Amino acid sequence: MKIKVLVVDDSSLFRQMIIQHLSARPNIEVVGYAINAYDAQQKIPQLKPDVLTLDVEMPGMSGIEFLKKLLPTNPIPVVLVSSLNLSVFDALSAGAVDFVRKPDMSIANSKEAFYSSLVLKVQAASKAKVRVARPSSASPAPSAAPSFSGFHGSSHASGAAPSQRTHAAKPMPFPPLSRTVLDSTIIGLGASTGGTEATLEVLKRLPANIPGMVITQHMPEGFTAMYAERLNRICAMEVREAKNGDIIHPGLALIAPGAKQMEVVRSGQNYIVQCRPGAKVSGHCPSVDVLFHSIAKNVHINKVGIIMTGMGSDGADGLLAMRQAGAFTIGQDKESCVVYGMPMVAFNIGAVCTQSSCENIASVLLNHLKK
């Protein structure tokens, strides 16, 4: 059956671009479009789309406000279509499945890359489980869940809602790790669709003193730096976008930069990251397989590999190589994945030592390190 898509965007240019390209795909049917959140409110019950593409910044009601009202009663997978803006992470926190960066019309092949990414992410979203953001425990609970069918707009001006640390949590209480463990372990983590929030769920539960971490999250250039900054504000350890030659050390998590492949190599007494432009591997740049294979080949101290939610198989072969090289490996379980693709393939080929829910991966990791 075709994936039914509703396109929500206040720009007639982008609406037409998205509609024209998605409609050309044999497995996708654009059932309609909406020019703003209020228009979408009226059309969703009639058109019953399987997936929404949604602009984040729209007049009258932002995409973030719209998601907060829509998803509690209508858990429809949403793919954001966004410019380079921090508000995309608030929208992902509110329950959107994934995002695509709007093309820069002045750059050659930008539109083609946008179209290709959009199609893949709509297809992935059609198989995704929508996770509605839980209200912060610090916030008073509403008297009743908001009803999408009955909402009538918002008094906020257009633009993104203010960033809220609704997912912030204190690290798990856990005895401090020994200096030996901290200095003799490297942790690799890879994720894709649904991974921005899943990775946050893991990192925010970890203490500041954690072995050095290297992370590949499928994300466009520009967004990885903003994502690292967001994690750095919320998590106990330092988090930043990796730069070529950065030394991996305890208390630091390095995020692979968008459009570059990141590998771990030995340099003297240290392990460092190499971040270079390169071809896509397993369909991605950065690729989880590239990171994991480099750890398996080049790291001769203790290794941990974690593979999380995402469409496809990127990272599965690399995680198997890590396990065969003596690493302890963790796969996110089906129930907690937005898309049980990458962890499923890794589990099926024998790359995973143990599976765990997103919320419990930090505990599994810390217990392993303590042993």
Side-chain angles (χ1 to χ4, degrees):
M1 294 181 64
K2 290 188 175 184
I3 303 165
K4 297 187 292 183
V5 178
L6 177 66
V7 176
V8 185
D9 200 308
D10 65 306
S11 165
S12 59
L13 172 63
F14 277 106
R15 279 201 313 270
Q16 189 57 38
M17 286 173 55
I18 294 168
I19 291 169
Q20 183 176 355
H21 192 75
L22 291 181
S23 297
R25 306 294 297 190
N27 64 333
I28 296 175
E29 177 187 3
V30 178
V31 294
Y33 67 85
I35 61 173
N36 55 41
Y38 308 107
D39 191 20
Q41 173 197 357
Q42 300 299 320
K43 291 178 177 176
I44 286 172
Q46 303 165 14
L47 300 175
K48 297 181 172 57
D50 301 314
V51 176
L52 300 185
T53 69
L54 178 67
D55 188 13
V56 179
E57 296 184 343
M58 296 183 293
M61 181 188 301
S62 73
I64 299 164
E65 294 171 288
F66 175 64
L67 286 169
K68 290 177 179 179
K69 295 176 184 295
L70 167 70
L71 296 182
T73 53
N74 292 262
I76 303 169
V78 174
V79 176
L80 306 169
V81 181
S82 174
S83 56
L84 186 62
N85 194 303
L86 269 172
S87 60
V88 73
F89 296 110
D90 291 314
L92 290 166
S93 178
V97 169
D98 210 336
F99 72 97
V100 183
R101 182 177 181 176
K102 285 187 173 181
D104 183 339
M105 301 301 190
S106 65
I107 299 177
N109 300 322
S110 181
K111 284 200 295 185
E112 287 71 20
F114 167 73
Y115 292 144
S116 175
S117 182
L118 179 64
V119 168
L120 290 174
K121 297 197 175 187
V122 165
Q123 292 171 339
S126 71
K127 299 177 174 64
K129 288 185 290 187
V130 177
R131 301 201 168 275
V132 180
R134 293 188 296 267
S136 170
S137 58
S139 303
S143 56
S147 170
F148 175 70
S149 60
F151 84 81
H152 298 292
S154 165
S155 59
H156 289 292
S158 64
S163 176
Q164 297 177 347
R165 294 174 65 157
T166 55
H167 288 279
K170 292 182 179 179
M172 298 174 58
F174 204 85
L177 297 170
S178 70
R179 193 74 229 176
T180 301
V181 170
L182 292 173
D183 290 336
S184 64
T185 308
I186 287 178
I187 303 165
L189 186 152
S192 186
T193 310
T196 53
E197 293 305 300
T199 298
L200 169 59
E201 284 293 326
V202 174
L203 265 61
K204 75 182 186 182
R205 287 173 164 81
L206 295 175
N209 283 330
I210 194 76
M213 298 187 71
V214 281
I215 299 169
T216 291
Q217 164 71 46
H218 296 160
M219 193 176 290
E221 186 177 6
F223 284 94
T224 44
M226 293 192 300
Y227 180 57
E229 290 167 6
R230 179 172 183 255
L231 294 182
N232 190 55
R233 290 195 302 271
I234 296 172
C235 302
M237 78 284 289
E238 179 187 3
V239 186
R240 54 185 165 85
E241 184 185 52
K243 292 181 176 58
N244 191 49
D246 276 346
I247 296 172
I248 301 167
H249 61 76
L252 173 66
L254 294 170
I255 308 289
K260 291 183 180 179
Q261 298 290 11
M262 183 170 77
E263 296 181 277
V264 176
V265 298
R266 184 70 181 262
S267 176
Q269 298 299 310
N270 299 309
Y271 285 98
I272 67 170
V273 292
Q274 289 183 342
C275 303
R276 298 171 178 167
K280 290 183 177 181
V281 175
S282 303
H284 299 279
C285 183
S287 162
V288 183
D289 268 329
V290 168
L291 176 66
F292 284 178
H293 275 296
S294 74
I295 295 173
K297 178 182 177 182
N298 301 326
V299 174
H300 302 295
I301 55 176
N302 296 321
K303 302 174 281 288
V304 178
I306 305 170
I307 192 164
M308 303 189 70
T309 177
M311 190 78 172
S313 62
D314 185 30
D317 286 342
L319 194 72
L320 179 60
M322 285 186 65
R323 186 175 186 186
Q324 291 170 340
F328 178 70
T329 59
I330 306 169
Q332 187 177 351
D333 66 12
K334 181 178 181 179
E335 291 71 25
S336 66
C337 279
V338 171
V339 178
Y340 186 56
M342 289 159 50
M344 178 188 71
V345 176
F347 179 78
N348 288 343
I349 65 173
V352 174
C353 294
T354 185
Q355 291 193 107
S356 180
S357 69
C358 180
E359 292 77 12
N360 288 331
I361 285 175
S363 178
V364 172
L365 172 62
L366 289 171
N367 280 315
H368 167 74
L369 294 174
K370 194 63 180 177
K371 290 176 185 177

